[in-house]
Amino acid sequence: MSSTPSPPIADPVPAKSPALDGQSQEDQRAPSYREQMLQQLAQRQSVAPVALPFFQERRDLALAAFERQGFPDRRHEEWKYTPVSRLTRRALRVFSPAAPAASGASTAPAESARPSKSTTQSSTWSKWLPDFDANRLVFVNGMFDRQASQILDQGAFSIGSLAQAMVEQPDTVATWFDALAAPDWSAFAQLNTALHQDGAWIHVQPGVAVPHPILILDIAENLQADEVLFPRHLLVAEQGSSVRVLHHSLKAEDQASRMFSVVETFVERNASVVLDTVQDGGRAADCIHHISVRQDRDSRFTARTFCLQGDLIRNDLRVRFAGENAECHLNGFYLAAGQDVVDNHLLIDHAVPHCQSNQLYKGIATDQGNAVFNGKIFVRPNAQKTNAYQSNKNLLLSAEATINTKPQLEIFADDVKCSHGATSGQLNPESVFYLQARGILEETAKTLLLQAFAAEVATELPEDAFREYVSQRLFERIRQVLPGADAQTS
Amino acid sequence: MLSIQNLAVSIDDKAILKDLNLDIRPGEVHAIMGPNGSGKSTLASTLAGRDGYEVQSGSVRFLDKDLLDMDPDERAREGLFLAFQYPVEIPGVSVANFLKAALNERRKHQGQDPLDARQFLIEAKKEMAALEMDPSFLSRSLNEGFSGGEKKRNEIFQMAMLQPKLAILDETDSGLDIDALRIVAGGVNALRNGQNAFLVITHYQRLLDYIVPDFVHVLYDGRIVKTGPKELAQELEVRGYDWIREEYSAIA
Ligand SMILES: Nc1ncnc2c1ncn2[C@@H]1O[C@H](COP(=O)(O)OP(=O)(O)O)[C@@H](O)[C@H]1O
Ligand SMILES: [Mg+2]
């Protein structure tokens, strides 16, 4: 894979501005990353005042960690196939809402905001608002958009802005915030901790089920070429609670966007969390997304990740079993077309006995697209009676597309059931012929088959408008990427 | 309707069909019989347009068009139907979705409006009832996990829905018990209208008790070596193919 041929973007940032250049220039730069970042932090603080020294400490620590490790390159085993240079050759600057994109930025607490459902949206992204009942948290360029958001449910839970929660209930937030950070978090995740703007704060008290799903919309809109978004979401399901979250990140305009996001998720004892993620940034969208999950005893966690469009999508999804008898299902679908790179790295840490993990990832690579799947299952010496399953299935639609799939099983316990399988192949010509022999055009036949391939992951979504939306968009993308496929399927 | 002249077909440079001639007129039922490996399925696949079947010489005209010049889907839209000997399993594509897509391609080709979901369902259920198929088949993945008999019935169901002008049945009887055979044959006979035609490939005469052919052809070594009335099928059933072999080697 060569890197994209997109023209280098002239650095629009004045020399004094806190811009961070790519690693290629690292050596020649006089001011350290740290200085630059501190300047950016100062800028950030005007937006999000620090209520507790703890939060500042976390930023500082993360910054120091970032400073030590710098951006990864292809020599780094975990980043072998990810063209990080696509992200770092442009200057990096934290988005600053000089002219706030969110018109309704007020100081009232998020929890009290109850805009009526009929609020009409003039923004270009309003078409993405779902037509089913959901609690909705909208972030435009990382800033909480209170007007576009809506909270339907009331009860023993908080659903709102993290930045605001840090001010209003700092001690509660500090119990969880950044608690899953590890030295091996990537430079991008570290940067997120250091520079994060806002994000969702979802905190469900013990025994409570949030009635409606919670939709998090992360929208990039009209970014400057050097601006980067750092959404940071924190999701806590306390003992015996349950919540379903739909996280949708997208881009409203054609401009390039870069998003380095982090979701921390705590699934406490006997709690249940579903986290569905849709990455649909359109062209020229880069998304480096990190999800860390901790599961306590008897908990259930389901993640479904749909990588529909983006120049560079890199997902790190990490689940750590911290209590016995917990179970997770990590499913995903990805599509790499054009010169897109879609890279899904999973890490499941079976740190305790009697847990079960399941992974099903399916992907399609076409044109010169490159899809990467790396599923690491780590079973520690005491984690007996672990069940771990992994399946990765790929379809290659062109000779120049590539798939790099790698199961990585590191098993240090002896009473363990582990299975994994990876396939890469083409569409079965016999199947295409069968459909053609009934009068279906070749391209339509292929579309039907690809949609069927992808649908396995989407059909697991609960029957509602979100599933409808995801399936529609999924099928639309498949039609788009098939050469010469403008045929409709019915 | 169908006119095959001097057709020679090879697979991987191996000659399978050699100088095959066959004419089918509207309303006729032709049976092709012959020992295993004689080229019956090769003929069916060549007519349907499967990849890898290289036509070395000869011509095939279908409704006064050059059949061999058309893509497989075009042939189907023109009214050719092949009931597969081994229908492919296609996970994730439901019978209903698939058939609706196929039917509407066909209708579009004929300048008709597409069927809406309700009309489709009414039609489909009617045909399924006639074939004693459970309507739940519609929501199942195409052929996936179907028994041998269910697959064959599903082929006939598709044929009934698509109303082809020429249907080629490749060993549709194999794997069917006598009841299923009767049902399937009933489906074929119900479709006969004097305008359409059938090419029934079979190994056994049994099916021809129900679908009575106008002509029986014996395919041997890539050629039609004998053609006769329906009684020829009975003779083959009694005498086997050895006498054909002997007769053939005597001429060849
Ligand atoms: N895909 C193939 N590759 C090579 N040879 C084939 C292939 N398909 C069929 N044949 C050969 O062609 C001949 C005719 O096969 P077929 O048409 O299936 O016969 P029938 O249907 O009469 O039993 C056989 O010798 C068979 O081995
Ligand atoms: Mg055969």
Side-chain angles (χ1 to χ4, degrees):
Chain A
M1 264 309 317
S2 61
S3 28
T4 52
S6 64
I9 294 163
D11 184 354
V13 184
K16 260 192 75 196
S17 103
L20 171 61
D21 281 354
Q23 72 218 9
S24 52
Q25 291 161 43
E26 194 172 341
D27 298 338
Q28 306 144 26
R29 294 192 63 91
S32 71
Y33 277 134
R34 187 173 170 76
E35 279 170 61
Q36 296 163 34
M37 286 305 160
L38 284 173
Q39 287 176 51
Q40 300 210 14
L41 278 169
Q43 195 181 34
R44 285 289 313 120
Q45 277 157 26
S46 62
V47 179
V50 175
L52 209 62
F54 170 79
F55 295 126
Q56 188 56 49
E57 284 159 27
R58 298 313 295 178
R59 287 187 190 269
D60 293 345
L61 279 172
L63 194 56
F66 170 74
E67 199 178 4
R68 273 194 307 278
Q69 68 193 89
F71 286 116
D73 61 29
R74 285 176 187 251
R75 281 168 301 189
H76 195 300
E77 185 59 29
E78 294 285 305
W79 293 83
K80 203 155 116 185
Y81 301 108
T82 321
V84 170
S85 57
R86 286 192 196 178
L87 299 165
T88 53
R89 69 171 159 230
R90 273 185 280 151
L92 280 162
R93 187 164 56 87
V94 180
F95 170 80
S96 97
S103 49
S106 82
T107 51
E111 286 73 10
S112 70
R114 299 278 187 278
S116 84
K117 262 191 81 180
S118 61
T119 303
T120 46
Q121 301 298 327
S122 55
S123 310
T124 43
W125 44 264
S126 58
K127 65 179 170 195
W128 282 290
L129 294 180
D131 58 358
F132 65 102
D133 288 342
N135 299 293
R136 186 167 75 213
L137 297 171
V138 179
F139 298 89
V140 179
N141 292 336
M143 304 294 135
F144 185 50
D145 184 335
R146 189 175 319 281
Q147 274 195 343
S149 300
Q150 76 172 2
I151 308 298
L152 297 177
D153 297 329
Q154 273 177 305
F157 40 80
S158 311
I159 303 172
S161 135
L162 178 64
Q164 199 158 3
M166 283 172 160
V167 175
E168 288 166 3
Q169 35 181 323
D171 294 314
T172 310
V173 176
T175 312
W176 288 282
F177 179 76
D178 209 30
L180 300 181
D184 65 340
W185 271 26
S186 75
F188 300 97
Q190 303 283 12
L191 264 190
N192 177 285
T193 304
L195 301 170
H196 64 269
Q197 305 155 292
D198 203 350
W201 160 245
I202 296 168
H203 177 209
V204 189
Q205 310 269 334
V208 174
V210 180
H212 291 98
I214 300 171
L215 174 71
I216 304 171
L217 273 176
D218 261 326
I219 299 160
E221 194 175 41
N222 287 321
L223 289 179
Q224 302 289 316
D226 60 338
E227 283 175 332
V228 182
L229 302 179
F230 295 92
R232 176 76 172 215
H233 307 293
L234 179 52
L235 168 51
V236 181
E238 289 205 61
Q239 183 168 339
S241 68
S242 71
V243 62
R244 178 173 176 224
V245 176
L246 319 170
H247 182 197
H248 187 183
S249 57
L250 53 94
K251 181 158 59 71
E253 312 288 343
D254 269 344
Q255 282 93 341
S257 73
R258 283 173 295 177
M259 217 183 250
F260 302 163
S261 43
V262 170
V263 181
E264 273 185 291
T265 303
F266 297 83
V267 195
E268 305 218 312
R269 194 168 170 162
N270 196 33
S272 163
V273 170
V274 176
L275 177 59
D276 292 323
T277 303
V278 178
Q279 295 166 325
D280 197 5
R283 295 182 52 232
D286 297 324
C287 179
I288 309 289
H289 190 56
H290 181 108
I291 303 177
S292 269
V293 183
R294 192 186 75 200
Q295 283 192 256
D296 294 334
R297 201 187 162 95
D298 301 323
S299 66
R300 291 162 308 283
F301 176 70
T302 300
R304 281 167 293 231
T305 304
F306 300 89
C307 311
L308 299 186
Q309 196 173 14
D311 272 16
L312 173 56
I313 296 177
R314 160 75 184 225
N315 289 311
D316 282 274
L317 171 54
R318 299 179 171 197
V319 174
R320 188 161 74 86
F321 289 115
E324 296 187 13
N325 196 34
E327 180 184 326
C328 74
H329 297 265
L330 311 179
N331 299 340
F333 174 79
Y334 46 85
L335 184 63
Q339 291 178 317
D340 299 347
V341 176
V342 184
D343 182 344
N344 280 285
H345 267 66
L346 279 70
L347 167 59
I348 299 174
D349 183 356
H350 283 269
V352 295
H354 292 284
C355 288
Q356 195 187 110
S357 64
N358 303 276
Q359 302 168 46
L360 170 64
Y361 268 67
K362 299 179 91 171
I364 297 173
T366 185
D367 307 329
Q368 291 151 341
N370 179 213
V372 183
F373 176 82
N374 186 293
K376 185 163 164 182
I377 300 173
F378 188 62
V379 183
R380 295 186 190 241
N382 65 325
Q384 302 298 359
K385 305 284 181 196
T386 286
N387 282 338
Y389 303 100
Q390 179 184 97
S391 166
N392 176 231
K393 297 178 189 167
N394 297 286
L395 284 178
L396 276 165
L397 302 187
S398 84
E400 287 172 291
T402 49
I403 302 273
N404 300 97
T405 171
K406 183 173 162 198
Q408 213 177 329
L409 309 186
E410 296 183 12
I411 299 172
F412 299 98
D414 44 32
D415 188 6
V416 164
K417 269 193 217 146
C418 258
S419 77
H420 66 91
T423 58
S424 292
Q426 277 111 46
L427 278 179
N428 180 2
E430 289 296 307
S431 305
V432 178
F433 176 67
Y434 187 85
L435 299 179
Q436 271 190 282
R438 297 297 177 253
I440 296 173
L441 299 168
E442 184 178 355
E443 290 309 333
T444 311
K446 288 180 175 171
T447 305
L448 274 175
L449 293 170
L450 291 176
Q451 290 174 346
F453 173 78
E456 190 179 349
V457 178
T459 47
E460 289 187 356
L461 289 164
E463 199 77 62
D464 62 21
F466 186 73
R467 166 171 161 184
E468 197 58 20
Y469 170 79
V470 173
S471 308
Q472 290 289 325
R473 181 63 193 133
L474 190 66
F475 291 179
E476 189 181 317
R477 279 295 290 147
I478 287 173
R479 283 197 298 272
Q480 282 170 2
V481 302
L482 264 181
D486 41 13
Q488 295 298 309
T489 53
S490 61
Chain B
M1 169 171 293
L2 184 78
S3 171
I4 305 176
Q5 280 175 355
N6 309 108
L7 183 67
V9 174
S10 61
I11 306 171
D12 293 338
D13 292 331
K14 183 179 154 202
I16 311 287
L17 298 182
K18 305 157 188 170
D19 195 27
L20 190 142
N21 293 282
L22 182 64
D23 267 295
I24 299 179
R25 281 165 302 188
E28 292 178 347
V29 175
H30 290 241
I32 292 194
M33 303 182 76
N36 265 332
S38 57
K40 301 184 297 293
S41 291
T42 302
L43 173 62
S45 294
T46 304
L47 294 178
R50 190 194 289 267
D51 254 358
Y53 292 73
E54 299 134 30
V55 175
Q56 302 298 337
S57 58
S59 70
V60 180
R61 297 196 69 80
F62 176 55
L63 298 167
D64 282 326
K65 286 182 184 151
D66 183 356
L67 184 75
L68 300 177
D69 194 37
M70 298 181 210
D71 285 338
D73 46 284
E74 216 177 327
R75 300 179 193 200
R77 288 193 299 275
E78 288 289 339
L80 186 87
F81 181 91
L82 168 64
F84 284 65
Q85 183 174 5
Y86 304 108
V88 192
E89 301 200 5
I90 305 186
V93 176
S94 73
V95 172
N97 268 353
F98 150 72
L99 198 50
K100 193 145 67 90
L103 197 59
N104 284 337
E105 293 279 9
R106 178 84 200 279
R107 291 178 68 92
K108 193 160 102 191
H109 186 71
Q110 294 171 333
Q112 295 171 293
D113 286 337
L115 280 187
D116 66 30
R118 206 183 59 91
Q119 291 168 307
F120 170 78
L121 215 59
I122 292 171
E123 285 295 308
K125 285 191 171 158
K126 198 179 79 197
E127 298 298 348
M128 292 182 109
L131 291 166
E132 298 182 26
M133 289 170 79
D134 194 282
S136 67
F137 268 89
L138 283 174
S139 54
R140 285 176 63 180
S141 281
L142 192 50
N143 296 322
E144 192 187 29
F146 286 21
S147 72
E150 287 169 341
K151 283 181 185 165
K152 295 301 174 72
R153 239 185 257 206
N154 187 35
E155 294 291 293
I156 298 304
F157 166 54
Q158 294 170 38
M159 181 186 77
M161 292 294 286
L162 292 168
Q163 303 267 327
K165 294 182 179 128
L166 173 67
I168 304 164
L169 278 56
D170 191 0
E171 300 211 20
T172 300
D173 52 340
S174 62
L176 292 186
D177 61 29
I178 194 74
D179 291 329
L181 189 73
R182 210 177 292 130
I183 292 165
V184 161
V188 172
N189 289 328
L191 195 64
R192 292 186 67 173
N193 61 11
Q195 299 306 306
N196 51 17
F198 295 83
L199 182 60
V200 182
I201 295 172
T202 180
H203 220 57
Y204 308 102
Q205 170 258 337
R206 194 170 77 135
L207 177 68
L208 305 180
D209 287 343
Y210 299 101
I211 307 172
V212 182
D214 301 298
F215 301 94
V216 175
H217 310 277
V218 180
L219 186 63
Y220 182 75
D221 191 27
R223 290 180 178 89
I224 287 175
V225 294
K226 202 171 187 63
T227 294
K230 63 176 187 291
E231 288 74 20
L232 177 58
Q234 278 141 24
E235 193 178 355
L236 288 166
E237 185 84 356
V238 176
R239 296 177 64 188
Y241 289 105
D242 284 351
W243 63 284
I244 298 276
R245 236 167 245 142
E246 281 156 25
E247 244 178 49
Y248 177 67
S249 30
I251 344 163

